[in-house]
Amino acid sequence: MITSNHYRQAGFTLVEVQIALLILVMIMAALMGSLYLVSKTTNAVTAIEETHQDKRIISRFLKQQLSTALPLRALEGGDLSVIYQGDEQDIYFVGHLPEQVVASGPWLLHLYVKDKQLILDYRAIDLAISVKDNMAADYESVVLLSDVDEMTLR
């Protein structure tokens, strides 16, 4: 009678398990890398979209303000003169700001670019003083946009 001490056990060898784990780790690393890339791309697209939305809102606001600019007059050397002056980079005008921001009424507005920021200065207009004195008075300021290279008004 011949008996065999060699019998076959069911299961995987240690080498097979290690190779399977190595393949699994490589797949997980590739998935995590692509997930990171998707996350980074989504954040970049969201930031660009928010910037474009801000620009659209500011553009609408400025169109409204400039199209409804008031030709108010203030004393200038005893004569009334219109308050509306500026050039392509800098403009002073009289307009109304939204009531959610400030009390209603005419406001002297100054729009300009400084340190790569589009800035709107505003103050309640005083028709009893000269245009120069109105323009030289203290303003409240708000930054409308950042990263602005230049502004051209036409």
Side-chain angles (χ1 to χ4, degrees), residues 107-123:
W107 291 83
L108 181 59
L109 305 171
H110 180 210
L111 183 66
Y112 60 99
V113 174
K114 180 180 178 185
D115 298 328
K116 298 192 84 167
Q117 294 179 325
L118 181 62
I119 300 172
L120 178 68
D121 292 343
Y122 59 94
R123 72 178 300 276

Side-chain angles (χ1 to χ4, degrees), residues 28-83:
M28 292 298 292
L31 288 175
M32 292 303 289
S34 61
L35 185 61
Y36 172 75
L37 184 62
V38 167
S39 173
K40 192 173 177 180
T41 302
T42 301
N43 291 340
V45 168
T46 301
I48 290 170
E49 183 180 315
E50 288 174 358
T51 300
H52 285 295
Q53 180 67 17
D54 289 346
K55 289 178 182 178
R56 279 193 292 273
I57 290 169
I58 298 302
S59 176
R60 277 191 236 127
F61 171 75
L62 292 176
K63 281 181 183 178
Q64 178 200 16
Q65 287 299 314
L66 292 173
S67 67
T68 61
L70 303 173
L72 288 183
R73 298 178 181 272
L75 288 175
E76 187 66 41
D79 296 327
L80 290 175
S81 85
V82 176
I83 302 176

Side-chain angles (χ1 to χ4, degrees), residues 89-105:
Q89 299 294 318
D90 185 44
I91 186 168
Y92 288 90
F93 61 99
V94 176
H96 288 281
L97 292 176
E99 290 185 17
Q100 299 92 327
V101 178
V102 292
S104 64

Side-chain angles (χ1 to χ4, degrees), residues 103-148:
S104 64
W107 291 83
L108 181 59
L109 305 171
H110 180 210
L111 183 66
Y112 60 99
V113 174
K114 180 180 178 185
D115 298 328
K116 298 192 84 167
Q117 294 179 325
L118 181 62
I119 300 172
L120 178 68
D121 292 343
Y122 59 94
R123 72 178 300 276
I125 192 162
D126 185 355
L127 297 175
I129 63 174
S130 72
V131 173
K132 287 181 183 177
D133 289 343
N134 267 296
M135 290 180 179
D138 291 332
Y139 288 86
E140 297 289 328
S141 293
V142 63
V143 175
L144 298 178
L145 284 175
S146 297
D147 296 325
V148 176

